[in-house]
Amino acid sequence: MAKVENWQNTMYGLDSGIQSGATTVTTDDGDYTTSKHYTVTTTTVTREEPNTEFVTRAQRVRAAMFPETLEAGTTILSTQTDPSQMTNVQRLAEPSQMLKTAIIHLINYQDDAELATRAVPELTKLLNDEDQVVVSKAAQIVNQLTRKEASRRALMQSPQMVAAVVRAMQNTSDMETARATASILHNLSHQREGLLSIFKSGGIPALVRMLSSPMESVLFYAITTLHNLLLHQEGAKMAVRLADGLQRMVPLLNKSNPKFLAITTDCLQLLSYGNQESKLIILANRGPEGLVHIMRNYTYEKLLWTTSRVLKVLSVCPSNKPAIVEAGGMQALGKHLTGSSQRLMQNCLWTLRNLSDAATKEEGMDSLLQVLVGLLSSDDLNMLTCATGILSNLTCNNAHNKTLVTQSNGVEALIHAILRAGEKEDVTEPAVCALRHLTSRHQQAEVAQNAVRKHYGIPAIVKLLNQPYYWPVIKAVVGLIRNLALCPENQAPLRDSGVIPRLVNLLLKSHQDAQKHGSSAQQTYQDGVRMEEIVEGCTGALHILARDPINRAEIANLQTIPLFVQLLYSPVDNVKRVAAGVLCELALDKQSAELIDAEGASAPLMELLHSNNEGIATYAAAVLFRISEDKNSDYKKRVSVELTHSLFKHDAAAWEMAHNSVPMDGPYQDELDVGFQGYGAYAGDMPMDGMEVPMMPEEYGGSMAYDRQPYPTEY
């Protein structure tokens, strides 16, 4: 081969023929030539420095994979033609470089670990030294070591070292030593082993004491370390509580750095969740005021979210609830219902939902009520549940709120919410309760009663009386129907929707269920509703419906009179009152009056004349008067004497009232049902949405520089 190369590189410049098989011939001029013809291409290699030309592939591979072996100043000529595609050599080089880097890191890691392990005994001794200057220098060295993972792991495996750091932090009066030792514990808290070491070494009481430090960096290290302990170390919550951590943390709500506050509020949530004593400690330290102040004045979303989580936990505490409302919590939370953060909006809604039964007399709620009416158009079930629940409670016994919601098209919005909710009781129940409130006892009540009809709400509402019965919804619907029937224009639509037979069936079933126990001491509850309440509600609704002559006849034709007479013997005064009321209406028809008398109603009615309840006595008198109209004079005289000596002996005008008019019952009293308050709410500290990973220290932009060691996303 050497000779072949020599041939081709000499003066001939021709193919020798040895490799190609071409023959060599002599030209007429005596020159040599070859029988095989070539097109010769000349390649020019540019040399920036000597020794930069790589002829073989092995040299190119070596240069790509191990560039440190190249001589100084040597340049590799790339064979890459398309910048978007790697060459095979480049593909080979990538994993080899990764492997080399990993080996270097491993060597350095081992070096760090060995160095720390050898240094631990001496550093521990120095941290326990009586000379505070020595302690300070040792703390700074340990702090530097804890910034690297290998040496940090070696340090945390020494209980003596961690205990010495905790002891130094507790005993020092030097700010730099306090900062260094707090930073050490902060760095150790990045791993579970470190958290356990801090916990076992009594680090929690020491860190709690650091929460009173005037130095911002120490405060930050202490609160973030405690936050990590609360998140990931079993037993840390109880230890923080026993060390009076809450008493130190709540005053920190007066700080102004939003990212520091976000960590602090998350600690408060972790400590108060499921622990009533912690909630009361927060209250005693004026926590509700501080939390509401944050919701009112800050814009940092993470802080608002963590604060809303604390308020959500506190909002199920009967003691904290009025304090939050009094501090302006309803208005502050309402500010965040129109923002872009869904998680913040949802937390605020649940908190408002839980607080709303304590805010029925609160003023300045106009904008919140209007926002809530707007939220009724949402398709989100949780949002509808909260919005309807809040509206139901805020319109309870509050004429101003009722009028405002009615004027804000609240009736139409509630009807549409009921239509969209279908069989979802956690929306339909509060929505119907809100409508029940809007249709009674305020200036716009009649407008609301008409609005239900105009927006085609009556068929949808009556449909809710169908089986299977969910009694809280049934109770609310029956009360709403009674209020709607007070409007004469609603009587015919209610009848056409089939409400009367449904009410009669409900009355029969609830009365039978109530009779099973046979005594008022053993009341029958179903889904938290007493069956006597359903009996009273159905009878009361039929009473108002019976004001219409056609409805009156339909009610009587359903064989209801015997049951109404039986209800006169009920031990419950309200049931007696509505039973006497419906009989009073039915007795306007002569045939019904005769049926009432034939059922033996006179005896119980005579007894009811002596009732202390004026409504019961008046209705009883009116029924007795009507059924006595066709009786002989002796019967009339006996009834007249009884009436005169019982009900009317002190009121001469009362007889005329009983004779000429039926007492006009007002709408049902609005009520905040105890069962409804907890229904669908964040009650009993239900499991909350998952915790975020710990916040990154670099988010805390304090006035001082901190060691920027990021938290891992997982362990």
Side-chain angles (χ1 to χ4, degrees), residues 230-283:
L230 291 171
L231 281 173
H232 303 295
Q233 179 58 51
E234 186 179 355
K237 292 177 186 176
M238 184 55 67
V240 172
R241 293 183 189 121
L242 292 173
D244 292 338
L246 279 164
Q247 288 87 334
R248 301 285 182 102
M249 286 180 186
V250 175
L252 296 178
L253 295 175
N254 295 322
K255 297 289 181 182
S256 59
N257 188 296
K259 294 174 182 177
F260 174 85
L261 288 172
I263 301 173
T264 304
T265 50
D266 211 36
C267 289
L268 292 178
Q269 186 271 326
L270 290 165
L271 289 166
S272 59
Y273 174 67
N275 188 281
Q276 181 62 21
E277 184 181 354
S278 295
K279 296 173 188 176
L280 295 176
I281 292 171
I282 292 173
L283 174 62

Side-chain angles (χ1 to χ4, degrees), residues 582-593:
V582 70
L583 288 172
C584 182
E585 289 293 345
L586 294 177
L588 288 170
D589 294 336
K590 185 177 180 181
Q591 185 178 358
S592 294

Side-chain angles (χ1 to χ4, degrees), residues 40-92:
V40 179
T41 301
T42 303
T43 301
T44 303
V45 179
T46 304
R47 295 177 180 155
E48 295 182 3
E49 295 289 341
N51 302 323
T52 59
E53 182 183 8
F54 298 98
V55 179
T56 66
R57 175 174 293 178
Q59 290 171 303
R60 290 204 314 276
V61 170
R62 187 181 303 112
M65 296 179 69
F66 306 106
E68 64 277 3
T69 62
L70 293 177
E71 295 179 11
T74 304
T75 303
I76 303 172
L77 296 178
S78 174
T79 58
Q80 186 176 14
T81 57
D82 185 354
S84 64
Q85 293 185 349
M86 295 173 67
T87 65
N88 289 337
V89 172
Q90 288 171 327
R91 289 193 185 95
L92 283 169

